[in-house]
């Protein structure tokens, strides 16, 4: 079985035993997915056994298998967000360096992301990715000193961006990453950049807010 070595969980640095057990659980789940198992066929007992931990230890670390996926996706995209400096978020965008950074990092994490995107329900990817995207949106608003957008616009924007990233990754993965990072970044930049900048800058005439 091909395995992917995972970094230690980012939120449990204090106790090495916790780090080891969480990493083992993540690795066991990822190995099953990489072997072609659909997420919905997996059980806590199976993953705990493969990880060499008890069910009690599993539930002490994670509330469910869904939470394991949630944390893996969140960690990947939080790491990507941490690499984005404020200048990349300044409007108007000068080039597609933001998209390049995101998809280059996705390519570097392709084995982990391939298993999660292929074998897990889309919602398990979208929810944690949208949390990171929302935090990144807050940074963009602060960097550009623009007014916060209406909550409903924010919801549509965040979910649209994360859904598109999931869709592009799904095709890229299916095609074996045959397109270059530059091609993928250029595609998503052409698709999203202009409209996204207008919405963040607040100079669009369209709003999803309901009329009273």
């Amino acid at each position: 079985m091909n395995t992917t070595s995972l970094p230690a969980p980012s939120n449990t640095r204090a106790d090495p035993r916790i780090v080891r057990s969480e990493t083992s659980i993540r690795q066991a789940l990822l190995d099953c997915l990489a072997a072609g198992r659909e997420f919905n066929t997996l059980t806590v007992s199976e993953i705990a056994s493969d990880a060499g931990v008890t069910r009690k230890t599993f539930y002490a670390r994670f509330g469910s298998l869904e939470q394991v996926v949630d944390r893996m996706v969140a960690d990947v995209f939080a790491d990507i967000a941490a690499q984005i400096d404020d200048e990349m978020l300044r409007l108007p965008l000068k080039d597609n360096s933001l998209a390049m950074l995101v998809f280059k990092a996705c390519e570097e994490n392709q084995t982990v992301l391939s298993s999660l995107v292929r074998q897990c329900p889309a919602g398990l990817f979208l929810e944690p990715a949208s949390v990171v995207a929302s935090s990144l949106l807050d940074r963009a608003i602060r960097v550009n000193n623009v007014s916060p957008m209406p909550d409903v616009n924010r919801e549509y924007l965040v979910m649209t961006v994360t859904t598109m990233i999931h869709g592009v990754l799904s095709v890229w993965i299916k095609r074996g990453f045959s397109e270059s990072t530059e091609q993928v970044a250029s595609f998503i930049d052409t698709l999203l950049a202009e409209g996204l900048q207008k919405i963040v800058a607040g100079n669009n005439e369209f709003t999803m807010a309901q009329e009273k």
Side-chain angles (χ1 to χ4, degrees):
M1 179 185 299
N2 292 329
T3 62
T4 301
S5 180
L6 289 173
S10 60
N11 60 338
T12 54
R13 291 186 289 270
D15 190 333
R17 294 171 299 177
I18 295 177
V19 172
R20 285 195 298 270
S21 59
E22 285 202 11
T23 301
S24 295
I25 290 167
R26 292 174 182 229
Q27 189 69 60
L29 177 58
L30 190 63
D31 288 348
C32 286
L33 296 174
R37 291 285 301 278
E38 291 292 334
F39 175 82
N40 291 333
T41 70
L42 301 175
T43 66
V44 169
S45 294
E46 178 182 7
I47 297 303
S49 177
D50 289 352
V53 302
T54 64
R55 282 172 55 90
K56 182 178 179 180
T57 297
F58 177 94
Y59 283 114
R61 307 293 179 253
F62 300 96
S64 64
L65 291 177
E66 287 81 2
Q67 192 175 99
V68 183
V69 175
D70 184 287
R71 290 194 196 172
M72 284 197 284
V73 174
D75 282 354
V76 168
F77 283 95
D79 286 345
I80 293 173
Q83 298 175 49
I84 299 172
D85 63 47
D86 286 352
E87 285 305 309
M88 289 184 176
L89 300 174
R90 199 171 299 282
L91 303 180
L93 298 178
K94 298 177 181 178
D95 50 38
N96 71 341
S97 58
L98 177 58
M100 278 289 298
L101 186 153
V102 170
F103 285 99
K104 180 64 176 176
C106 287
E107 186 178 33
E108 291 170 353
N109 286 278
Q110 64 178 272
T111 310
V112 174
L113 288 175
S114 292
S115 297
L116 297 178
V117 171
R118 278 177 169 170
Q119 308 303 129
C120 296
L124 295 183
F125 177 98
L126 295 175
E127 186 171 350
S130 69
V131 171
V132 177
S134 183
S135 177
L136 203 56
L137 176 58
D138 287 336
R139 281 181 57 196
I141 288 171
R142 185 180 67 253
V143 167
N144 290 284
N145 195 29
V146 295
S147 300
M149 65 184 65
D151 287 345
V152 65
N153 281 29
R154 183 189 185 92
E155 287 186 43
Y156 273 101
L157 177 61
V158 168
M159 191 51 65
T160 297
V161 171
T162 52
T163 300
M164 284 189 174
I165 290 174
H166 181 270
V168 168
L169 281 175
S170 297
V171 176
W172 204 17
I173 290 165
K174 181 180 179 181
R175 292 178 54 79
F177 291 85
S178 56
E179 287 74 38
S180 68
T181 305
E182 290 79 4
Q183 288 174 300
V184 175
S186 178
F187 175 81
I188 201 74
D189 189 67
T190 301
L191 190 64
L192 279 178
E194 184 176 353
L196 190 150
Q197 290 183 79
K198 286 182 178 180
I199 293 172
V200 172
N203 62 0
N204 61 309
E205 297 179 357
F206 177 71
T207 179
M208 295 298 299
Q210 295 180 352
E211 295 181 1
K212 295 183 179 181

